[in-house]
Amino acid sequence: MNYLDLYHHWLRFDGLDSILKEELQQIQEHELEIQERFSQSLSFGTAGIRGIIGAGTNRMNVYTVRKLAHGLGEWLHHENLAEKGVAIGYDTRHCSVEFAGEVAKVLLHHGVKVYLFKQICPSPELSFAVRYHEAAAGIMVTASHNPPNYNGIKVYGADGAQISPHITNQILENISRISDEFMIPVADLSEAEASGSLVWLGSEIDQTYYKNIASLAFQTNDQNKYFRIVYSPLHGTGRLPIESVLSQRGFEHVFVVPEQADPDPNFSTVKSPNPEDPASFQLAIAYANEQQADLVLVTDPDADRIGIAIRDENNQFVHLTGNQIGALLLYYLLSQRLERGELPSNGAMVKSIVSSDLGESIASHFGVKTQNTLTGFRYIGEFIQKWKQTGEYKFLFGYEESYGYLIGDFCRDKDATQACLLLAELGAYYQKQGMPIHQVLDTIYKEFGYFQETQISVTLEGLEGSKQLKEIMIRTRSNPPSHVAGIAVCSIQDYLQGVEGFPKADVLKYLLEDGSWFAIRPSGTEPKMKCYVGVKGSSSTKAEEKKIAIKEYLADWLGF
């Protein structure tokens, strides 16, 4: 069927949800809107689907969710994994509870055992639950830090990491055979519960997850009791785990931003529920000044990303980049392990190719291997699993510049609760030594070099936006610059054509003569084109000047 036929098929379906039917009736005279909703289906991005909630094959709704669940259920049945089951979690977004229930009902119809959370949970806890119950897969209903009109589904494999492209392709093949999404059969949850096919996950899994995180701490509880923290979950899932873990580790002065403490699917106090955005810290910083706090922690709605603000030399709060947070965590972790004689001779850390080279410099100083990966935490998870099996390296830390960090491998996705604990602890530890966090960061720069990074991104939504994203990548491949801001380009790594040791991906990375670099790629989770810049200077000022010059050149070259 073409998009108009699909539109009328949906409109004529008697069982269509009344809200969705009303949406479709309102666009009867708007062919471009109909085309936008029905000319394609939601595509798999980074190990899942994500999109605007609404009616249509290119929207998040009960029927698109059932299609994905059916594709997963068919794969599990074919691989004889139904009895191992699937863990299902969900966040605070619109329709998250409903979508989780629909996934459960479809999987149960396929004879798949289901472990369903009773209440909201962070994405990393869902990853933990997959491993804890030795399930075959996991589903997390979330759109992470996207705007409130979005929702999505992340799919996890048996190791707790986001699924591989190989499994994704098999699920997509199963989905492609669905002739009518309205005819996908579902089970009854009450009957499944009575038969034991549906298992509810409650406080037991929560407490076990929190205990594992608390075990990552280096310092005694007494060390932490006077350190003052303001925390915001941005209306998401982070409050319970982060308050619980910090309390377990002796932090007695943790203040949750009142206006952002409770779940709110509209994220009504922020323009964007994203800790990468300094604007999301406005209420938290104001509250931190009231409470005379030493540190501000902010997590996104599914509590996998964390941002922080620290006091600078003028006692004013400043927002740190994801790379700066990564450098602080890595330096603290490795120095603490070294001090305790717990730094393995085969230690390794994993970071994405668009993250700062500062991390590699720190790791090298401690004799720790750096493994670079493509963007997407599933690649970090793949190396953790590989090293577990081969014993070649001992995983110590994984991170991406986009505010995602992992210390303990008992889960295999970025985990804001783990990072919150270690960031709070390092703040308290250095404060005892008379060093505020900004001085620790300055010490790192002086020892390892003045690295700076920045990013340019442009949002290109809809069918036209998708077309523009492809055109930008074609244009940059066909017309590469020989110099950028007066610095010669010495090599180009085209990951779509193939770079040794990496899977193929639509990413271009340009290496410059002075050690600077920039990379361009379309986002795997948002309708955005992203350009990353990394530089190193002889001083903070020199690095800043170089970063600005390269960024300005690239914005003009890319037409951003």
Side-chain angles (χ1 to χ4, degrees):
M1 286 189 280
N2 63 30
Y3 66 87
L4 286 173
D5 290 336
L6 269 174
Y7 167 72
H8 288 294
H9 175 64
W10 277 56
L11 196 58
R12 286 193 300 266
F13 177 53
D14 289 337
L16 190 68
D17 177 272
S18 60
I19 294 174
L20 299 182
K21 178 156 282 194
E22 186 178 344
E23 271 188 40
L24 295 181
Q25 289 169 341
Q26 290 174 350
I27 63 170
Q28 286 187 82
E29 306 302 322
H30 303 279
E31 187 170 343
L32 283 177
E33 179 68 16
I34 294 171
Q35 184 180 7
E36 169 69 28
R37 289 171 181 256
F38 288 97
S39 64
Q40 63 185 36
S41 296
L42 282 178
S43 60
F44 257 80
T46 306
I49 60 172
R50 191 176 295 188
I52 296 169
I53 300 167
T57 58
N58 195 30
R59 292 288 185 270
M60 282 294 298
N61 53 65
V62 166
Y63 309 104
T64 52
V65 166
R66 285 180 179 173
K67 281 170 67 176
L68 185 147
H70 178 82
L72 176 61
E74 288 275 293
W75 176 75
L76 291 166
H77 183 74
H78 181 266
E79 299 293 324
N80 297 314
L81 294 170
E83 288 186 8
K84 290 187 72 67
V86 173
I88 303 173
Y90 51 91
D91 69 4
T92 61
R93 287 180 174 272
H94 290 293
C95 303
S96 283
V97 177
E98 179 185 7
F99 291 165
E102 292 299 326
V103 170
K105 289 190 287 187
V106 172
L107 291 175
L108 287 162
H109 177 81
H110 281 276
V112 177
K113 187 169 186 176
V114 167
Y115 301 94
L116 180 59
F117 274 82
K118 283 184 178 179
Q119 61 183 10
I120 58 172
C121 73
S123 289
E125 186 176 357
L126 183 275
S127 170
F128 175 79
V130 171
R131 296 178 56 78
Y132 182 76
H133 287 285
E134 298 183 346
I139 290 284
M140 181 67 194
V141 182
T142 180
S144 191
H145 55 283
N146 279 57
N149 59 328
Y150 279 74
N151 211 328
I153 289 179
K154 288 183 182 178
V155 188
Y156 293 81
D159 63 346
Q162 293 172 34
I163 56 167
S164 67
H166 172 67
I167 299 175
T168 296
N169 290 336
Q170 294 181 62
I171 293 172
L172 287 173
E173 188 176 327
N174 294 336
I175 291 172
S176 70
R177 292 195 293 268
I178 298 171
S179 58
D180 189 343
E181 53 263 88
F182 299 136
M183 297 297 108
I184 295 172
V186 297
D188 181 271
L189 290 184
S190 298
E191 291 177 7
E193 183 179 1
S195 70
S197 300
L198 171 61
V199 178
W200 292 100
L201 301 183
S203 60
E204 179 190 343
I205 193 76
D206 293 339
Q207 295 307 317
T208 309
Y209 171 61
Y210 304 160
K211 184 179 178 181
N212 272 268
I213 294 174
S215 72
L216 299 173
F218 290 103
Q219 311 301 332
T220 63
N221 285 19
D222 284 347
Q223 172 83 41
N224 303 326
K225 65 167 59 176
Y226 300 112
F227 194 69
R228 300 176 69 83
I229 299 165
V230 159
Y231 165 63
S232 172
L234 293 184
H235 307 291
T237 61
R239 182 180 182 182
L240 183 58
I242 287 168
E243 279 194 306
S244 298
V245 170
L246 291 180
S247 176
Q248 282 184 46
R249 297 308 308 175
F251 290 93
E252 298 179 2
H253 302 284
V254 179
F255 307 94
V256 180
V257 178
E259 301 93 331
Q260 297 172 332
D262 297 327
D264 174 6
N266 293 315
F267 310 115
S268 52
T269 63
V270 289
K271 184 178 178 181
S272 171
N274 186 355
E276 295 183 61
D277 181 3
S280 68
F281 279 68
Q282 186 175 357
L283 284 174
I285 287 175
Y287 194 49
N289 282 321
E290 286 180 28
Q291 297 297 335
Q292 298 181 315
D294 305 300
L295 175 66
V296 175
L297 305 169
V298 174
T299 57
D300 67 346
D302 67 324
D304 61 353
R305 283 180 168 88
I306 176 176
I308 73 171
I310 63 172
R311 292 191 182 274
D312 64 11
E313 62 274 14
N314 299 313
N315 206 36
Q316 301 299 305
F317 278 105
V318 292
H319 180 261
L320 295 192
T321 69
N323 284 309
Q324 289 172 321
I325 297 169
L328 284 166
L329 281 168
L330 182 62
Y331 182 77
Y332 177 70
L333 283 163
L334 299 185
S335 60
Q336 288 295 313
R337 278 183 168 269
L338 181 64
E339 184 180 312
R340 288 163 169 74
E342 298 172 358
L343 191 61
S345 59
N346 65 338
M349 77 94 169
V350 194
K351 72 173 188 67
S352 67
I353 58 171
V354 296
S355 297
S356 174
D357 292 332
L358 176 55
E360 188 162 357
S361 293
I362 294 170
S364 178
H365 172 78
F366 287 94
V368 170
K369 173 188 169 63
T370 295
Q371 176 65 58
N372 284 292
T373 71
L374 293 176
T375 302
F377 229 82
R378 75 164 179 261
Y379 297 111
I380 295 176
E382 285 178 4
F383 278 103
I384 296 173
Q385 188 69 6
K386 174 187 172 184
W387 294 336
K388 278 281 188 184
Q389 293 168 348
T390 66
E392 183 183 6
Y393 292 104
K394 168 70 175 175
F395 171 79
L396 299 176
F397 185 58
Y399 79 105
E400 294 182 324
E401 51 72 41
S402 54
Y403 294 72
Y405 314 94
L406 182 66
I407 300 104
D409 64 1
F410 46 81
C411 69
R412 299 291 171 85
D413 203 357
K414 49 190 175 288
D415 190 341
T417 305
Q418 291 189 27
C420 271
L421 172 61
L422 269 295
L423 287 163
E425 186 180 274
L426 78 84
Y429 171 78
Y430 286 114
Q431 186 183 73
K432 282 274 188 179
Q433 299 180 34
M435 286 182 70
I437 298 174
H438 78 84
Q439 285 186 13
V440 181
L441 193 57
D442 288 344
T443 299
I444 290 172
Y445 283 135
K446 286 173 184 174
E447 184 170 356
F448 300 105
Y450 292 92
F451 292 83
Q452 288 198 23
E453 298 77 33
T454 189
Q455 187 182 132
I456 312 168
S457 69
V458 58
T459 300
L460 299 166
E461 293 185 317
L463 294 176
E464 183 60 30
S466 179
K467 180 182 173 184
Q468 288 177 278
L469 288 171
K470 291 175 183 175
E471 288 174 350
I472 290 170
M473 294 306 291
I474 291 169
R475 188 172 74 244
T476 53
R477 281 189 168 90
S478 61
N479 186 32
S482 60
H483 289 75
V484 173
I487 308 166
V489 176
C490 58
S491 68
I492 301 171
Q493 297 173 337
D494 188 340
Y495 290 83
L496 195 59
Q497 299 302 315
V499 174
E500 187 177 355
F502 292 85
K504 290 187 177 182
D506 194 10
V507 183
L508 287 164
K509 187 169 184 179
Y510 299 76
L511 306 179
L512 308 187
E513 193 174 43
D514 70 337
S516 301
W517 57 270
F518 68 94
I520 306 166
R521 72 176 186 95
S523 171
T525 56
E526 300 171 276
K528 288 183 176 181
M529 179 61 71
K530 292 189 172 184
C531 179
Y532 308 81
V533 177
V535 304
K536 181 182 178 183
S538 56
S539 67
S540 180
T541 302
K542 293 291 185 184
E544 178 77 14
E545 289 171 354
K546 192 185 296 187
K547 178 182 73 175
I548 291 171
I550 292 174
K551 183 177 182 179
E552 288 177 350
Y553 176 92
L554 292 175
D556 181 62
W557 178 59
L558 293 167
F560 289 179

